[in-house]
Amino acid sequence: MLTTLNTAYTDTSADDLAWTLGREPLPALATLDLQLSGATLQLRLLGASHQVLLEEENGSCSETVACIPGSSTPLPLGVAERVGDWEYEFAARVEDLTPGQFAGRAQELLALVSDHPNGLAGVFPGSPHAFTAMLAQRHEGQVHWRTWHAYPQDGQLVATRTRVGVRRSAAVLL
């Protein structure tokens, strides 16, 4: 699903993004509710990037990657944590692109996500290449999502990957 976000483009740079786990739902500009084989997932586009809410029989998980005033947790390159009976893994990278590369990559990602049934993308007014996009799937009992945050003014694209699933030791006991 592709939508135009009815707000000013407020993220200033990739360096301003922060990551948090367990944050309460923040006001969203667009959402996509998904049922993925027993998991309820809500993809949320915020005025300051993204939030994913996951609910399953074994518990819940909330991931936020956004420019949040007062946040002291910068965007990590990688995180691996236990959340209840789940293993949570997060990875992020920043791509520095030329203007031509950036335009091509933006078009490619927006086409991929907007045509996917488990995808949500929001374009900010003023620039066709200022966007946040999210794509989710369930594979082998685990929920995966990817996100992209575009900063055309700096030629930077932030890509994240997340995987959440039952810990192997807990799965063996079940």
Side-chain angles (χ1 to χ4, degrees):
M1 179 173 84
L2 179 63
T3 186
T4 299
L5 301 172
N6 189 18
T7 187
Y9 182 60
T10 58
D11 285 358
T12 56
S13 74
D15 291 339
D16 293 334
L17 283 177
W19 167 87
T20 57
L21 194 58
R23 183 178 283 275
E24 292 296 317
L26 296 170
L29 299 172
T31 62
L32 179 63
D33 294 314
L34 301 171
Q35 293 295 321
L36 301 174
S37 302
T40 300
L41 193 68
Q42 185 176 68
L43 305 179
R44 304 167 56 83
L45 296 178
L46 311 176
S49 296
H50 90 257
Q51 187 172 50
V52 177
L53 306 177
L54 171 63
E55 295 280 336
E56 238 185 354
E57 181 180 304
N58 296 325
S60 63
C61 178
S62 166
E63 171 190 282
T64 307
V65 173
C67 298
I68 301 171
S71 178
S72 61
T73 306
L75 189 64
L77 294 178
V79 173
E81 290 193 14
R82 289 186 174 176
V83 178
D85 287 338
W86 288 339
E87 290 179 344
Y88 169 91
E89 292 180 3
F90 171 86
R93 77 174 191 280
V94 178
E95 297 176 40
D96 290 304
L97 305 167
T98 66
Q101 290 171 325
F102 194 95
R105 187 89 166 108
Q107 288 176 329
E108 173 186 279
L109 288 169
L110 288 172
L112 169 73
V113 174
S114 63
D115 291 341
H116 197 285
N118 297 343
L120 176 63
V123 177
F124 292 89
S127 172
H129 302 134
F131 68 91
T132 299
M134 309 171 73
L135 187 61
Q137 68 176 355
R138 185 168 184 115
H139 181 67
E140 296 181 357
Q142 299 180 336
V143 179
H144 302 254
W145 60 86
R146 296 186 65 187
T147 72
W148 299 270
H149 305 265
Y151 299 93
Q153 72 279 10
D154 297 327
Q156 291 185 317
L157 183 69
V158 177
T160 74
R161 286 180 183 251
T162 301
R163 181 191 64 81
V164 179
V166 175
R167 288 196 317 241
R168 299 206 194 291
S169 59
V172 171
L173 297 174
L174 297 176

